[in-house]
Amino acid sequence: MPEKHITPSGVVRAYARAKSRADLPAALACCRRDVVFETIAFQAVATGLDEVARQNTAFLRTFPDYGVELEYLVEASELVVGAGTVRATMMQKLVGIEPTGRSFALPFACHWTVRDGLIAHERFFFDFHQMCEQLGLPTEAAAAKFAAWRERAERTAR
């Protein structure tokens, strides 16, 4: 768990470093139990540590070399806004999409809300079409797989 005296941007940096080395327990230790993660490109929302852990485990299995380079972070009270580059190689199936073995390097923007020294909310933005193009995936087909995955998740949650 991050130290209590660490700044909001320090918590985000610790989280990004942990996730970039695929250390999910260390990354989740930077988050509140009721954390909400939004991946805008996937139209995906995960609520609570258990759901966030499940989604991140699947994502990191698919992209085992996932890494984030933070270009900048700006802190305004509880809000941290940042941007940089995210890189990864698709090595396993994700939401029914067969792996291509190809990599992507994408600019991203993100904002995090940090409360009591822990991440309460992450909203992560990157270009879905550009990701698909670099991975060699047809965008419409990939979008349909994500839509079906979201529908299954909604039915399961009911």
Side-chain angles (χ1 to χ4, degrees), residues 9-143:
S9 58
V11 171
V12 168
R13 284 184 195 286
Y15 164 76
R17 282 192 303 269
K19 195 166 174 187
S20 291
R21 65 178 185 270
D23 185 349
L24 196 52
L28 295 176
C30 296
C31 301
R32 293 172 55 98
R33 292 202 54 71
D34 61 348
V35 67
V36 176
F37 275 56
E38 294 181 78
T39 305
I40 302 305
F42 299 157
Q43 299 177 41
V45 179
T47 303
L49 278 181
D50 291 343
E51 189 175 350
V52 168
R54 276 192 302 278
Q55 282 189 14
N56 276 279
T57 296
F59 187 82
L60 291 172
R61 184 175 41 248
T62 301
F63 299 102
D65 63 345
Y66 173 87
V68 169
E69 291 175 30
L70 292 171
E71 204 173 297
Y72 68 84
L73 291 176
V74 177
E75 189 176 314
S77 187
E78 292 183 331
L79 180 64
V80 179
V81 177
T85 303
V86 58
R87 290 180 169 78
T89 305
M90 187 179 196
M91 301 305 292
Q92 298 288 327
K93 187 184 285 193
L94 181 67
V95 301
I97 302 169
E98 292 297 324
T100 64
R102 292 177 59 179
S103 299
F104 65 77
L106 301 169
F108 78 89
C110 193
H111 70 72
W112 301 265
T113 303
V114 178
R115 288 195 193 100
D116 302 321
L118 296 171
I119 296 171
H121 189 189
E122 177 184 74
R123 184 176 268 179
F124 186 54
F125 300 87
F126 61 90
D127 186 308
F128 183 78
H129 176 76
Q130 191 177 9
M131 180 197 75
C132 289
E133 186 175 281
Q134 290 182 31
L135 291 176
L137 299 169
T139 303
E140 286 186 29

